Structure formats: structure tokens, C-alpha cells
Amino acid sequence: MNVKSAKFLTSATGLEDCPKSSMPEFAFIGRSNVGKSSLINLLTGKQGLAKVSSTPGKTKLINFFTINDSWSLVDLPGYGYARVSKGEQEGFTELIGDYLLERENLKQIYVLIDSRNEPMQIDLEFIAWLREADAPLTIIFTKVDKVSMPELQGNVNRFTQTLESGGVDIPKVLSSSSKDKLGRGLILSSIQKLLPKGKSAKKKKVNISLGWMKK
Ligand code: GTP
Ligand code: MG
């Protein structure tokens, strides 16, 4: 799928504040610093569209980007950022939780996991919670440029096995590296599968000779 245009639309603090839209929406969530904003820039091919920082907690709002004037990518703040208070963490969970579970045009939630880590409780619990709520979910293991193939395989296996042993169904799994530009094609095609069909099906051109009209 071609990304022909990608524009920042607006920011919101919670569900109430989100733009009224019936466009299919695809949201990116995960721990602070996992690479959500970088991945949105990779998918759109526009560096700097979503703000990236090596300091965790950069994205603080729900940011909407309109793609090809027909669907949206949503960059969410990260969870598990150590430097926010417990109250702020709870506020975050409530605001983002409402968005994730109640946004009607949200077609898929991409949960990003740092491929360097052993399974972390906060990620496992977050995925279990989304599964419980029957939310549409795909996992993306990020920063694969930082691990070898066997390490990646080992960490993915340990993660999915831990989910399974906790009674959680394993979601679809993809991987990415924003640094090495990997994973873009598969992520975009997973989005494309959820877009309404038909718009690209051009009407057949009917070729009628009008020669008989000439006098
Ligand atoms: P918050 O908004 O703070 O929650 O972070 P985020 O999840 O949006 O992460 P962001 O995209 O801002 O990236 C965090 C840091 O990781 C930055 O220093 C990025 O350059 C780096 N980073 C992101 N993706 C990759 C990747 O695929 N490979 C490598 N090596 N670094 C990456
Ligand atoms: Mg961010």
C-alpha cells in the first residue's frame, strides 16, 4: 500500500476530546520509549511527523495523523514511565483505557514490545487486559536491529509462551526496526486488510463510438 499523504490532524487528552471521525483508525501503544512515534514515522515515510525522543515520556497526548485522506494512525503516550506519580499513572490508564475500549472506529491496536527484553509483567498484563476486553490486537516486537535473530526468536517465544501459560490467547505477532526500516510492508499490509475495499476499484471505462452522431 502506498502512503501518498500523511498529515497531523489534532491531539486529544482522552476519549471525549477525540475528533469526530468515521475513518478507520489504527493505534500504537506500548511502554515509554519502545518506539511508537518512530514507527509511525517509518510507516508514513515522514521523519519528524511524530515527535521522537530518547527521554521516555515524550508523547503525552493522543495524536492523530490522517493518511491518504481516508484512514488514521494514532500515536499514544507510553505506559510504565517510572517518573510519573501513581495518581498520574491511574489517570493515564483511565483516559487511554477509555479510548482503546470505546473508540468506535478503532480497527486495530498495535502493542509494541521491545525485542531486547525478557517478558515484562506490565506488557503481559496490558495484553491480557486487552484480550479480556476482546479488543482487536497485534503485537509488534520493535528495535530488532538491536538483537540477533536467535535472541529475537528466543524473546518472542518466551513472551508468547508466558502469555499462553497465563491462559491468554496469543495475538498476531509482527516485528520492526525503525532504524533499519524493517517491518513497514507487513504492518501496512495488515492495515490494508482492515480498510474498506472498493475505493480503488476503478469504474470500467465504457468505450462507445459516437461516430454515428457526426453529420
Ligand atoms: P514515548 O513517546 O516517550 O512513550 O516513546 P516512544 O515509544 O514514542 O519512542 P520513540 O519513538 O520516541 O523512540 C524512543 C527512542 O528509541 C529514540 O531514541 C529512538 O531513536 C529510539 N528508537 C525507536 N525505534 C528504534 C529502532 O527501531 N531501533 C533503534 N535502534 N532505536 C529506536
Ligand atoms: Mg512517542
Side-chain angles (χ1 to χ4, degrees), residues 42-63:
L42 174 70
L43 295 177
T44 57
K46 269 194 170 178
Q47 290 309 313
L49 181 66
K51 299 281 172 292
V52 168
S53 167
S54 55
T55 314
K58 176 71 183 170
T59 309
K60 292 195 165 62
L61 298 167
I62 307 177
N63 294 309

Side-chain angles (χ1 to χ4, degrees), residues 150-215:
E151 274 173 322
L152 173 64
Q153 201 59 60
N155 284 344
V156 171
N157 288 346
R158 273 187 288 280
F159 195 91
T160 51
Q161 280 159 10
T162 315
L163 280 179
E164 216 174 14
S165 63
V168 180
D169 283 348
I170 302 170
K172 189 173 177 206
V173 173
L174 296 170
S175 62
S176 71
S177 164
S178 301
K179 184 167 170 272
D180 289 352
K181 301 193 179 359
L182 298 172
R184 183 175 186 268
L186 286 180
I187 299 168
L188 285 177
S189 76
S190 81
I191 290 175
Q192 187 169 29
K193 284 186 192 137
L194 298 168
L195 294 176
K197 296 185 181 66
K199 267 197 170 171
S200 59
K202 283 189 190 131
K203 275 188 188 162
K204 256 195 176 170
K205 204 173 162 194
V206 183
N207 240 337
I208 304 171
S209 166
L210 298 179
W212 57 269
M213 283 182 79
K214 285 182 197 149
K215 292 225 167 132

